[in-house]
């Protein structure tokens, strides 16, 4: 009854505000689910054109591109570009309205703020509602949300009740903490969902595999992993324990939900309704060749307060085509984390961070972290149980992937510490300035 009440309350409040979220929701649904239709193509083109015209007419930074012919006439920007000319990115016609600050601190301690106008906020709410539903979560369900909570993202008690959220800090994932969390979930008989960092699922998986006291939990409708790459071993294990498909979401704080996997699929369905997405070459602003990895660059179609056109997320991805019911849909075949976190072999060839997952085949490893120290020098930090005896085998394994002349050292530690954001970093590349940087993907 409370679930239905919260659902009715959400949509009733939207009706009082003119049903703006509902209108956005229907627009998103029509664009994505009828992607190849003329109406969908025209709607996407119209949204991009309106955003570009607004930017060149109302912002100091984009005014110089008033004679643009296409989006490719605009420069690629990043966080540093915005920080350096922060005031020049604000729109002169919307800056005096009530806008909303979104904030990410990152692990470097350098804050990054973006403002969203009311319409962008409504669009984001509709995006969240739509993609939550695609993952099996409905408004009113209890949400067990495991992330880093601070003064910038913690909701007031009234909003926590209205949204039915259990805010669990990611810093509290010891075996005893997980036991208490799962115990609370088992006592909660209502429909529920889990939204958490992928690394939090790793910790839960380890607990479930190590105990014979795992409580039986009823009513789990959805499990969404975010912010970090979800490894397939964890996905499979969690699905076997709870019988619920696990999907991975690609999003960031400054924009919102960019893409999300479907049930049973590994490809990420891009949110073309709210973003224009490009894959550009690693070292130039030219489009990457079909099937090649490149930088994920997005244009936020709905932030008129602070337009972000061709924004380099810092992440690496690969775009492909997925065909369903005769309709081709451009998807992200892979999202591989930040460019600065890519691993290079001893010949300088770029490898995917996925190469590090080879370590998961070895038993008795509790935590790991792979660090490229120099061109041919690598450090693997391991938190292991006493039964671990695979050190030399791991060295030989990684020489196969990195090069026979790779210098690989193992360091045994008691813990791999969390970043200030609450995430745990699995790959660090000191050679290319990756130390201290973290994935930009986080729940918006």
């Amino acid at each position: 009854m409370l679930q239905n009440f919260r659902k009715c309350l959400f949509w009733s409040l939207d009706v009082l505000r003119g049903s703006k979220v509902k209108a956005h929701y229907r627009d998103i649904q029509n664009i994505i689910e009828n992607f190849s239709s003329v109406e969908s193509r025209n709607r996407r083109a119209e949204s991009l054109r309106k955003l570009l015209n607004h930017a060149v007419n109302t912002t100091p930074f984009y005014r110089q591109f008033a004679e643009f012919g296409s989006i490719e006439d605009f420069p690629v920007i990043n966080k540093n570009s915005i920080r350096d000319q922060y005031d020049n990115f604000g729109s002169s016609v919307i800056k005096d309205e009530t806008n909303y600050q979104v904030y990410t601190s990152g692990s470097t301690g350098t804050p990054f703020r973006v403002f969203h106008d009311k319409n962008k906020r409504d669009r984001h709410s509709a995006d969240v509602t739509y993609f939550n539903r695609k993952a099996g979560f409905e408004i009113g369900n209890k949400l067990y949300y495991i992330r880093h909570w601070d003064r910038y993202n913690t909701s007031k008690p009234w909003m926590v009740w209205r949204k039915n959220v259990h805010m669990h800090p990611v810093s509290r994932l010891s075996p005893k903490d997980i036991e208490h969390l799962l115990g609370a979930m088992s006592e909660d008989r209502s429909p529920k969902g889990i939204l958490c960092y992928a690394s939090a699922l790793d910790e839960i998986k380890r607990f479930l595999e190590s105990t014979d006291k795992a409580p039986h939990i009823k009513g789990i409708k959805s499990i969404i992993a975010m912010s970090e790459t979800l490894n397939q071993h964890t996905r499979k294990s969690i699905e076997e324990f709870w019988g619920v498909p696990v999907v991975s979401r690609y999003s960031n704080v400054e924009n919102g939900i960019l893409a999300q996997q479907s049930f049973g699929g590994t490809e990420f369905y891009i949110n073309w309704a709210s973003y224009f997405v490009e894959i550009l070459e690693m070292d130039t602003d030219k489009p990457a060749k079909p099937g090649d990895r490149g930088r994920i660059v997005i244009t936020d179609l709905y932030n008129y307060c602070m337009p972000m056109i061709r924004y380099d997320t810092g992440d690496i991805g690969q775009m492909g085509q997925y065909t369903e019911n005769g309709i081709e849909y451009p998807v992200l075949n892979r999202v591989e984390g930040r460019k600065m976190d890519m691993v290079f072999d001893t010949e300088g060839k770029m490898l995917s961070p996925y190469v590090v997952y080879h370590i998961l085949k070895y038993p008795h490893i509790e935590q790991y972290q792979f660090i490229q120290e120099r061109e041919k020098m690598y450090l693997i930090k391991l938190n292991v149980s006493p039964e671990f005896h695979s050190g030399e085998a791991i060295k030989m394994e990684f020489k196969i992937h990195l090069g026979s002349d790779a210098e690989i050292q193992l360091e045994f530690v008691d813990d791999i510490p969390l970043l200030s954001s609450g995430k745990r970093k699995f790959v660090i590349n000191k050679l290319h300035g990756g130390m201290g940087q973290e994935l930009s993907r986080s729940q918006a």
Side-chain angles (χ1 to χ4, degrees), residues 231-247:
N231 80 64
Q232 297 307 306
H233 298 276
T234 296
R235 179 202 296 270
K236 183 178 179 181
S237 181
I238 292 294
E239 289 179 347
E240 289 176 350
F241 270 108
W242 286 330
V244 179
V246 180
V247 303

Side-chain angles (χ1 to χ4, degrees), residues 220-237:
I220 298 179
K221 302 297 183 181
S222 65
I223 304 174
I224 303 173
M226 62 177 190
S227 298
E228 304 145 331
T229 302
L230 174 66
N231 80 64
Q232 297 307 306
H233 298 276
T234 296
R235 179 202 296 270
K236 183 178 179 181
S237 181

Side-chain angles (χ1 to χ4, degrees), residues 302-358:
Y302 283 86
N303 190 356
Y304 277 49
C305 167
M306 196 171 183
M308 298 174 70
I309 300 169
R310 308 193 83 190
Y311 172 65
D312 189 334
T313 63
D315 296 324
I316 301 300
Q318 179 189 67
M319 192 176 289
Q321 295 286 333
Y322 184 79
T323 304
E324 186 175 21
N325 298 324
I327 299 175
E328 284 195 349
Y329 190 91
V331 297
L332 291 172
N333 287 334
R334 303 184 91 173
V335 178
E336 297 189 339
R338 296 186 66 80
K339 179 182 177 183
M340 62 185 62
D341 291 330
M342 303 301 282
V343 176
F344 293 80
D345 67 15
T346 57
E347 296 181 352
K349 179 183 177 183
M350 180 182 289
L351 304 176
S352 167
Y354 286 111
V355 72
V356 178
Y357 283 177
H358 288 287

Side-chain angles (χ1 to χ4, degrees), residues 209-322:
E209 291 177 341
S210 67
T211 182
D212 56 2
K213 299 186 298 182
H216 180 65
I217 302 175
K218 293 183 178 180
I220 298 179
K221 302 297 183 181
S222 65
I223 304 174
I224 303 173
M226 62 177 190
S227 298
E228 304 145 331
T229 302
L230 174 66
N231 80 64
Q232 297 307 306
H233 298 276
T234 296
R235 179 202 296 270
K236 183 178 179 181
S237 181
I238 292 294
E239 289 179 347
E240 289 176 350
F241 270 108
W242 286 330
V244 179
V246 180
V247 303
S248 187
R249 173 177 290 174
Y250 175 46
S251 60
N252 64 26
V253 173
E254 55 267 37
N255 303 113
I257 299 177
L258 305 176
Q260 182 173 290
Q261 291 175 337
S262 60
F263 290 146
T266 57
E267 63 280 343
F268 288 79
Y269 281 78
I270 298 171
N271 183 6
W272 291 107
S274 299
Y275 304 94
F276 180 78
V277 180
E278 303 172 81
I279 303 295
L280 304 184
E281 292 180 346
M282 295 290 190
D283 300 311
T284 77
D285 291 342
K286 297 178 181 178
K289 295 178 181 178
D292 283 358
R293 288 180 300 179
R295 296 141 54 217
I296 300 176
V297 174
I298 66 104
T299 296
D300 189 330
L301 301 176
Y302 283 86
N303 190 356
Y304 277 49
C305 167
M306 196 171 183
M308 298 174 70
I309 300 169
R310 308 193 83 190
Y311 172 65
D312 189 334
T313 63
D315 296 324
I316 301 300
Q318 179 189 67
M319 192 176 289
Q321 295 286 333
Y322 184 79

Side-chain angles (χ1 to χ4, degrees), residues 77 97 135 152 156 207 231 242 249 271 281 287 317 379 386 405 407 415 421 423 432:
I77 62 171
E97 296 185 7
Y152 296 102
K156 296 179 179 179
F207 174 82
N231 80 64
W242 286 330
R249 173 177 290 174
N271 183 6
E281 292 180 346
L379 173 65
D405 55 342
E407 299 178 40
D415 184 45
S421 62
K423 304 170 192 173
H432 290 80

Side-chain angles (χ1 to χ4, degrees), residues 160-173:
V160 170
W161 181 89
R162 201 187 87 180
K163 294 181 178 180
N164 205 11
V165 176
H166 177 96
M167 298 186 297
H168 187 89
V170 72
S171 58
R172 289 175 48 198
L173 285 178

